[in-house]
Amino acid sequence: MQPADSSTKPFFTQPYVNRLSRKNKLGRLAWVLVSSTLFRWSPRALYGWRRFLLRRFGAQLDSSALIYPDVVVWAPWNLEMHARSVLGEGVNCYNVDRVVLEADASAAGYNTLCTAGHNIDSEGRELVVQPITLKRGSWLFFNTFVYPGVTMGEGSVAAAGAVVIKDVAPYSVVGGNPAKHLKWRGIQKR
């Protein structure tokens, strides 16, 4: 193997720089301490306790929203959950931007809701963020990955293991990597 030519310029000349505000960094630090202790170690049935903790950090949560103890929420101030919405077991809510779960929306378990990535077409690899919305009655089966900027339409379903990279039409079922339309749900709109 020959040594690299020292005259070649590396592809990435500017390293990624974390540009979060000081206030955001302090809030994140405080949340990490609370979430890794008081939140994570709470018994499963104490949904109200976890809602209380998340609300103290700015989350907007309906009193019937369910959040499991092993859910990872990156920034509670960017989380909004409506009536009977669920963040199930092992969900990773990387919400650098807004994540909204409308009424009856469910992230079943071991899903990743990822609102941020890096610009791969830039040498500086700037952070790019876009919100994620799960519309009323939408449902993510186990181990689904949802990309930044995705809206799951009302009553839509992402099958287990789906990688959802674009918006999903209302009452449709998607699956695969990348997720593609599989069928329409056989239910009536409410």
Side-chain angles (χ1 to χ4, degrees):
M1 184 176 216
Q2 296 200 351
D5 181 2
S6 61
S7 66
T8 60
K9 178 181 169 186
F11 180 72
F12 292 110
T13 57
Q14 301 172 354
Y16 169 71
V17 177
N18 184 346
R19 292 180 180 86
L20 293 176
S21 69
R22 181 182 174 108
K23 180 182 174 186
N24 196 342
K25 287 178 184 177
L26 291 174
R28 283 273 311 127
L29 176 62
W31 172 244
V32 166
L33 294 172
V34 168
S35 68
S36 63
T37 56
L38 300 173
F39 186 94
R40 180 167 293 284
W41 296 105
S42 61
R44 185 173 179 173
L46 293 183
Y47 297 109
W49 171 248
R50 289 185 293 280
R51 284 191 298 266
F52 169 80
L53 293 173
L54 286 163
R55 285 182 184 131
R56 297 294 70 73
F57 283 85
Q60 297 172 350
L61 306 174
D62 184 86
S63 61
S64 62
L66 301 179
I67 303 102
Y68 283 61
D70 59 350
V71 167
V72 176
V73 176
W74 194 81
W77 48 90
N78 285 334
L79 179 62
E80 181 180 334
M81 294 178 69
H82 296 232
R84 300 168 306 281
S85 58
V86 178
L87 286 177
E89 290 184 50
V91 169
N92 182 3
C93 184
Y94 184 57
N95 58 336
V96 179
D97 203 333
R98 299 287 298 164
V99 169
V100 177
L101 282 78
E102 293 185 357
D104 302 309
S106 177
Y110 305 100
N111 303 131
T112 299
L113 305 172
C114 182
T115 63
H118 295 275
N119 182 352
I120 63 170
D121 295 322
S122 166
E123 289 185 14
R125 299 175 279 176
E126 296 84 15
L127 189 66
V128 178
V129 298
Q130 293 179 303
I132 292 174
T133 303
L134 277 63
K135 294 285 191 181
R136 183 174 174 263
S138 60
W139 188 6
L140 304 177
F141 278 34
F142 283 87
N143 204 29
T144 300
F145 188 98
V146 180
Y147 268 68
V150 167
T151 296
M152 294 286 298
E154 181 177 343
S156 62
V157 172
V163 177
V164 185
I165 63 172
K166 60 184 180 179
D167 292 352
V168 177
Y171 295 95
S172 67
V173 178
V174 297
N177 180 4
K180 298 202 183 325
H181 176 82
L182 301 176
K183 67 177 221 161
W184 296 102
R185 287 186 71 189
I187 63 173
Q188 300 293 321
K189 290 185 181 181
R190 296 182 215 171

